[in-house]
Amino acid sequence: MSVRLSKTHVDKALQDVANGAPAYDLIDSQQPGLLLRVGPRGARFAFKAIRFKQTIRLTLGSPPGLTLDEARSIVAEAQKLVANRTGMPNDAFLEREFIRLGKVTARPAPPPRDPALVAERERSIADLPFWSWETARAEYLAEVKRTLREATWRDYSAKLGAPELAVLAGKPVRRVSLEDLAGVVYDVHRSGRETHAVNLASALRPMWRWMWQPHIRTRSGIGIEGVGADMAKLAAPPKSAARKVRSNGKIAGRYVATAGEIGTVLGVARSGILDPTVSLALELLVLTAQRRRPVVDARVEDFVPWMEEPGWGVWSMGPAHRKTADKRDDQSRHALPLPPALWQRIAPQLRACTEAGREHLFPQIRAWKLGDAVSGHMNEAALNHRLLDIGVKASPTTCVAGSPRTRRRRSGCRATA
């Protein structure tokens, strides 16, 4: 129903609402688009218009809070938007009109955004496609496990899982600076674990070098748009001049095993008081002057009888067992003669491992950690622990004979740093 709305119509609408009259609409003939809608929920002014075959509706408010003149003023402004196509009458428009009419107080202007926070937000968005520290570490360790020895993978897993690196949690690796990692290494060094600091730096450098590779940087983000640090200069501080004395009285790096200690190791190994696998590993370590890792990783297929010398055997060591073979791209094998006394000890172990389908001469005795399968080789730390149990100060490291100068640091059994 179209009428020229007046205060009388508004008052009657409020009375009809109070009396529960049926719902009805009144269209204002003076201001096109203005309606007075009456129903069970009350009387209220509304706006209705059609734009591009689309009906626009907007509830304005209820009398007496909103007067008829104020409703007409709001609708007039709404019609301008529709006619000029400069906007859409919506809740934001209605709020501006209420502010203009003094019905509500304007909201205080928001404080200016902190440029530093804005930059940090933009940087976070830019880093979203790239690796965080946790993802980068997992990807790198997977590559180490694929390309290097299992012992190397375990070593790197322990170093890159050091508690001191927890400060990198959740941080994009492309935002990690040289100063960040240098600070971590320095804190480890300052705590007295100087060798650990050196080893930690030696594990972080190749990780960053790997992430700089062209086919990796698209995922790591290092080097993209010039973001990312070069860790080639990451290093631990110089070691202290004073030598640290261990609890057993040894000075790290300066103790050389005596002939009596070597004899004690062989005697205990042959006495039968230790596990047979450990005993044989200790004997092979001393008599062949090899490192711990090649000994515990020795494979059954690498041991064969020496046909030209009855009673003797040969240990044919592949390049993967030698420390610098990969660096020199050395694919030759290193053959070690095994005298009859030692070969007689090894032969039964070879037969037992072959019958059991074992790959290694010294199979794993217990799982590395709870839940792991027992399928690998003995851990090299077992040799150190058994020497401590025997009571000798010597511990196995490099086992290569040489000149008097090299024997001091390459003796078969000596203290490790």
Side-chain angles (χ1 to χ4, degrees), residues 7 29 41 60 76 79 117 128 139 145 154 161 165 207 224 236 266 274 301 308 314-315 319 334 338 367 378:
K7 185 177 182 302
S29 58
R41 292 185 294 177
L60 307 181
Q79 289 288 21
L117 294 178
L128 285 178
E139 293 286 342
K145 190 172 186 178
R154 288 180 175 176
L165 292 173
M207 177 180 176
I224 302 298
L266 288 176
L274 297 178
E301 63 181 7
E308 292 79 7
V314 176
W315 178 12
H334 180 50
L338 304 176
M378 178 196 308

Side-chain angles (χ1 to χ4, degrees), residues 95-163:
E95 181 179 8
R96 292 194 299 270
E97 288 300 305
F98 283 168
I99 294 173
R100 178 178 65 84
L101 296 172
K103 309 297 288 185
V104 297
T105 303
R107 299 178 183 180
R113 294 189 294 179
D114 186 347
L117 294 178
V118 172
E120 177 64 26
R121 176 61 178 172
E122 292 176 348
R123 189 172 68 175
S124 299
I125 294 174
D127 291 338
L128 285 178
F130 303 117
W131 286 346
S132 65
W133 160 250
E134 291 82 359
T135 302
R137 179 176 57 191
E139 293 286 342
Y140 176 63
L141 289 177
E143 180 68 8
V144 171
K145 190 172 186 178
R146 183 184 71 86
T147 58
L148 302 178
R149 295 174 298 187
E150 182 180 0
T152 303
W153 168 73
R154 288 180 175 176
D155 184 41
Y156 274 48
S157 297
K159 290 174 182 175
L160 297 178

Side-chain angles (χ1 to χ4, degrees), residues 18-42:
N19 295 335
Y24 62 88
D25 290 350
L26 296 178
I27 301 174
D28 187 16
S29 58
Q30 177 179 334
Q31 177 58 61
L34 177 61
L35 293 81
L36 177 59
R37 313 195 72 175
V38 182
R41 292 185 294 177

Side-chain angles (χ1 to χ4, degrees), residues 160-404:
L160 297 178
E164 292 80 10
L165 292 173
V167 295
L168 303 178
K171 190 171 184 177
V173 287
R174 68 198 301 253
R175 302 293 179 181
V176 177
S177 66
L178 175 60
E179 291 74 16
D180 291 335
L181 296 187
V184 172
V185 173
Y186 174 72
D187 289 341
V188 173
H189 185 277
R190 186 175 57 177
S191 68
R193 296 167 295 166
E194 298 185 357
T195 300
H196 179 42
V198 174
N199 294 337
L200 184 59
S202 68
L204 290 168
R205 284 194 304 271
M207 177 180 176
W208 251 257
R209 187 166 57 247
W210 175 75
M211 290 192 293
W212 265 102
Q213 297 181 79
H215 65 289
I216 302 297
R217 70 175 65 172
T218 55
R219 291 176 288 157
S220 68
I222 293 182
I224 302 298
E225 298 178 349
V227 180
D230 181 6
M231 300 299 174
K233 295 184 178 180
L234 178 65
K239 287 189 175 182
S240 302
R243 293 282 183 168
K244 184 177 180 180
V245 180
R246 294 181 176 175
S247 57
N248 60 1
K250 293 193 302 184
I251 299 178
R254 291 191 176 182
Y255 184 82
V256 178
T258 64
E261 285 182 312
I262 295 177
T264 299
V265 174
L266 288 176
V268 173
R270 294 171 179 175
S271 67
I273 63 176
L274 297 178
D275 181 273
T277 301
V278 178
S279 297
L280 184 57
L282 284 173
E283 191 169 348
L284 187 66
L285 175 82
V286 173
L287 296 180
T288 61
Q290 295 302 304
R291 296 172 181 269
R292 294 178 306 164
R293 191 165 290 170
V295 169
V296 298
D297 192 32
R299 286 166 169 76
V300 173
E301 63 181 7
D302 293 341
F303 291 82
V304 295
W306 190 353
M307 306 305 297
E308 292 79 7
E309 293 289 339
W312 285 64
V314 176
W315 178 12
S316 178
M317 189 183 307
H321 299 166
R322 306 201 300 276
K323 185 174 183 180
T324 59
D326 290 339
K327 295 180 181 179
R328 294 183 284 108
D329 194 25
D330 183 1
Q331 299 302 316
S332 62
R333 301 186 70 85
H334 180 50
L336 292 176
L338 304 176
L342 180 57
W343 182 247
Q344 290 174 9
R345 292 259 290 152
I346 292 176
Q349 181 77 359
L350 289 174
R351 288 193 296 270
C353 291
T354 301
E355 293 171 359
R358 296 280 192 174
E359 176 186 2
H360 297 92
L361 180 65
F362 306 113
Q364 188 176 6
I365 299 175
R366 60 179 62 87
W368 173 257
K369 62 181 179 180
L370 186 63
D372 283 358
V374 182
S375 59
H377 59 73
M378 178 196 308
N379 190 288
E380 58 265 24
L383 301 179
N384 296 69
H385 295 162
R386 297 297 77 78
L387 290 175
L388 289 175
D389 295 340
I390 294 172
V392 299
K393 292 184 178 181
S395 58
T397 56
T398 58
C399 300
V400 181
S403 65

Side-chain angles (χ1 to χ4, degrees), residues 56-70:
I56 303 171
R57 302 177 187 274
L58 184 65
T59 299
L60 307 181
S62 301
L66 183 66
T67 66
L68 177 59
D69 290 339
E70 291 171 339

